[in-house]
Amino acid sequence: MDYSRFKADLDRISTNLREGWLEEMAMEYGLSGLPEDAGPEVRAKRAVWSVFCLRAEVLRHLLGLPSFRAYSRMLAGSDLLADFCGVRTIEGIKWTSKSTLDRASRFFDPDQLRSMNRLLGELAGNDDWSERLGLPERVDATVCLMDSTCLEANVHHPVDWVLLKDVGLTLLKAIKLVRREGLIHRMPGGPEEAASKMNRLCIEMTHSRRRKGGGKLRKKVLRSMKRLLVNIGEHARRHRDLLASGWSSTSWSERQAMNVIERIDGRLALLPEAVRQAHERIIGGRAVPSPEKILSAHEREIDVIVRGKAGKEVEFGNALFISESTGGFIFDYELYGRGAPSDATKQKESLKRQQSYDIDQSIEEVVGDRAFQTKATARALQAAAIIDSNCPKDPAELKRRMQDPRFRQSQKRRGSTEARIAILTNNGGGRVCRAKGLTNRRRAVAWGVLSHNLWWIARKVRERQEQAARAA
């Protein structure tokens, strides 16, 4: 039964990708990246590759975002999955290496994926077009249920001296890579000894809190860390220059060499800022303004998001906003970078995006929690003739509004938006997003919304067919 339902959903999603013009849009985006003088054979191959990228990444999200290595094995070992992606040929199943699947996941940029999500939303929200997706009726887009959460980044808890350790060890690993290729500059003890010194200092810093006079000891250890980091930075710069001038003598391609050079340059640029932050907080005892804080050596665009939840006062990541219909179809989303606006501003921006959709339905009601309720929001919704069902902050006003059956029902339904966020994040590999960089996280969210909506439509169509079969 489970396999039959999964196969039925895949068949419906495959049909909707083809009949819903998503494959056509994917080919247009793929061909737009080719030079004007590209021949017919090159253009044909790019069109096939574009469709594969669309289907392969949608399927990976439907399967719960397995690693590319695991996904490669799953795709190569299943005719059903290979047929969905269109990679099964007479010679066998092709395009299933983990590196190929990784490139496919990054083929479309976040803006292109947003256009695909918008197209699917417009198809589902119109009477004339919803039939192409197999839906017996259009998706109700008159009520917008909105919520915001934190998409946690894959980072450890930010600690100043741990940040220094991360920067130092990243530079040492890059030095080891360069030296392994035969480009060696004088470095007494080598990167291994420097890494050992850094680890010993980290152990001393960890245990300094349990000793008498721990504050002075922490300052002493930090000063030792700073001296060691200066030394590591100098060696990294020398090895970086060696690689820049002699990469052709290594086994690397120019792109591989540039990756290592960019990694070293990025950490060398970050090093003075990380040292200054640690000095201000540990030695100076002064607070660092939140916009200037460095939370991770590897993720610069994450933010501190105060949640106030039991067991987790704050979270580290990016603010994720979604707007869904009463049935659970996600019409709008946004992943914000550092310095995200207030929830009220997010709601305003979302309404502007959704009102630009080519849908023969107008937004009649907006539902959100207390964070969305402001006087400016209420005035703007009233001016737009939209019912304001955001939860009031005043308990007395909330008690009065709860006498209205429509408001009461809307607030009751709003609780399920939390579940929609959980479906979007947990089915996409967990609440911690493992994509590196804000652009890649936005891409991952866009893929997650697209695959969720395709699955949502397929499930609705299958349930309607099962209901009809039982009635017959």
Side-chain angles (χ1 to χ4, degrees), residues 145 147 322 324 326 328 410-423:
L145 296 115
D147 203 358
I322 71 165
E324 64 165 341
T326 52
S410 297
Q411 284 298 312
K412 182 178 180 180
R413 169 60 183 83
R414 181 184 64 81
S416 299
T417 307
E418 292 281 354
R420 187 62 49 187
I421 290 177
I423 291 173

Side-chain angles (χ1 to χ4, degrees), residues 17 73 79 109 120 125 173 197 199 205 208 216 280-281 293 361 431 447 460:
L17 288 173
R73 292 194 297 264
D79 290 345
D109 63 43
L120 185 61
K173 289 179 180 179
K197 290 180 180 179
N199 288 332
M205 185 69 82
S208 63
K216 291 183 178 180
E280 287 292 303
R281 291 167 62 92
K293 287 180 182 177
Q361 303 179 68
R431 288 192 60 82
W447 278 119
K460 290 292 183 182

Side-chain angles (χ1 to χ4, degrees), residues 157-164 205 215 218-219 222 226 273-295 304 316 338:
H157 191 87
V159 180
D160 298 311
W161 58 268
V162 177
L163 174 64
L164 297 181
M205 185 69 82
R218 286 167 61 83
K219 294 178 181 179
L222 180 61
K226 290 165 64 176
E273 301 178 39
V275 170
R276 181 190 63 81
Q277 176 173 296
H279 180 92
E280 287 292 303
R281 291 167 62 92
I282 297 177
I283 295 180
R286 294 178 289 270
V288 176
S290 185
E292 300 177 11
K293 287 180 182 177
I294 303 173
L295 301 175
V304 181
F316 304 96
R338 197 152 192 180

Side-chain angles (χ1 to χ4, degrees), residues 183 238-250 257 261:
L183 300 177
R238 295 189 188 105
H239 283 81
R240 181 256 184 222
D241 294 340
L242 273 178
L243 180 60
S245 60
W247 69 267
S248 58
S249 64
T250 68
I261 291 173

